[in-house]
Every structure is written in structure tokens, then in C-alpha cells.
Amino acid sequence: LYLREHHAKEAVPLLLDMLLNDPEPTIRIGLIKTLTELDARESIPYLLDFMKLESELNVQIATLSALGHLQAKEAIPLIMVLLKQPEMPELLGKMALWVLQQLKQRVVCHDLVSCLLLPSFPAPLKQIVITVLLDLQAMEELIVAFPQLDPPLQQILFTHLSERDIHEPMSTLM
């Protein structure tokens, strides 16, 4: 609490050390939140390494959330690997997609389209991927992928485009 109120950036190394060594998931989550509230961008490389080692789902989600709030573009490769893991928990996937949406980097568009085409990629996450791609204005990528999408996803994409009053790409899909 003291650290949060006084924005003690000098405490970041201590917080990172505690994060790596504390066995209690709720403590690790609290440390991650504190690093986020301190806007400790210097913690990004440590959070990325930590994410690779962490096995507790709630701690992984908190770590991804921190990376999103810290605008950690360095997290993109890790997130893309996570999204393509066949046994990825849906909640983790949702957080990973939220981070990509926060980062607003078109560099992820091709990889996200490939996720849409993976049969093993969870259907609820595919809907979120479409939203992220639309937010990134990846119309060309979506139009190219449209014929390869399952009919329910085609309908979802068509509905999203209709709701956003985007007529030019819709005429291409008809």
C-alpha cells in the first residue's frame, strides 16, 4: 500500500525479486498489480520471462493484463505462441487477445488470421479474433480469409461488418 501511494520506483527490483520467489499465487498477483500501478515499464522483460515459467492460470492472466497496461509491444511474440498452444485455457486466450487489442499493432494481423483458420482454436476466441482484427482495420486480411472460414464465422464477420456500416468490404464478400 505504501509503495502504491508513494510511487516508489526504487522498490521495483525488490518487487521483482519477491515476484520470482514467492510461492503464494495471490501474493504474486498483488505484486504484479503493484508493478502495473507503478507503471514499471522496466519490469517488462522480467514479466515476459516470468510468464514463461508461471503455471498458475490466475497469475498468468494477471501478468498478461500487466503487459497490456504497460503497453508491452515486446509481449507480442509470447502472446502469439500462447494463442497457438492447443491446450490454452480460454480465459488466458481472452486476456491475450485483449492485450493485442490494447497494443494496436497491425503486425499481428497475419498471425491472428492463421488462428482463425486453426481447427483446434476455440470457437469463442475466434469471435474475439474477428473483433480484434476489425479494430485493427485488417479488412484486406479478413476478406482474403473469408472463403476459408467456417460458415458460422463468415456470418459473424458479415454481421460485424454490417453493424459497423462498412459496405465496401461487404460487397466483396457477396
Side-chain angles (χ1 to χ4, degrees):
L1 184 61
Y2 175 83
L3 290 175
R4 290 180 192 167
E5 290 174 2
H6 294 89
H7 300 282
K9 287 281 204 173
E10 58 274 4
V12 170
L14 174 64
L15 294 170
L16 290 170
D17 185 56
M18 291 170 62
L19 177 65
L20 296 174
N21 294 305
D22 199 294
E24 180 58 42
T26 55
I27 300 294
R28 293 195 305 274
I29 290 170
L31 292 165
I32 292 165
K33 287 180 180 179
T34 302
L35 289 166
T36 304
E37 290 170 12
L38 292 173
D39 197 29
R41 290 198 43 78
E42 65 272 25
S43 69
I44 291 171
Y46 299 96
L47 291 172
L48 290 170
D49 288 341
F50 175 75
M51 183 69 188
K52 294 173 191 171
L53 303 172
E54 181 59 52
S55 60
E56 187 72 34
L57 178 61
N58 289 334
V59 181
Q60 290 175 330
I61 290 169
T63 306
L64 281 177
S65 175
L67 291 167
H69 286 289
L70 294 170
Q71 290 292 301
K73 293 177 177 86
E74 307 92 314
I76 291 172
L78 172 73
I79 291 170
M80 296 316 302
V81 167
L82 274 176
L83 287 173
K84 292 181 180 179
Q85 289 179 353
E87 300 298 319
M88 177 200 49
E90 190 174 318
L91 282 174
L92 189 62
K94 286 180 180 179
M95 182 54 73
L97 291 169
W98 175 84
V99 172
L100 291 178
Q101 200 166 21
Q102 300 311 301
L103 297 177
K104 297 176 177 37
Q105 298 294 304
R106 284 193 44 83
V107 70
V108 301
C109 293
H110 178 74
D111 284 333
L112 287 177
V113 168
S114 71
C115 288
L116 283 177
L117 302 177
L118 286 174
S120 62
F121 199 74
L125 293 181
K126 287 183 179 185
Q127 294 178 30
I128 298 170
V129 167
I130 288 174
T131 302
V132 172
L133 287 167
L134 287 169
D135 287 349
L136 293 172
Q137 300 180 354
M139 298 303 168
E140 187 175 321
E141 292 90 340
L142 285 166
I143 289 169
V144 169
F146 187 82
Q148 300 169 60
L149 297 176
D150 296 331
L153 278 179
Q154 288 178 340
Q155 185 58 46
I156 289 167
L157 177 56
F158 196 79
T159 302
H160 276 290
L161 293 173
S162 299
E163 289 171 355
R164 292 171 185 239
D165 201 28
I166 300 171
H167 299 291
E168 188 176 323
M170 286 178 45
S171 63
T172 309
L173 300 178
M174 295 179 165

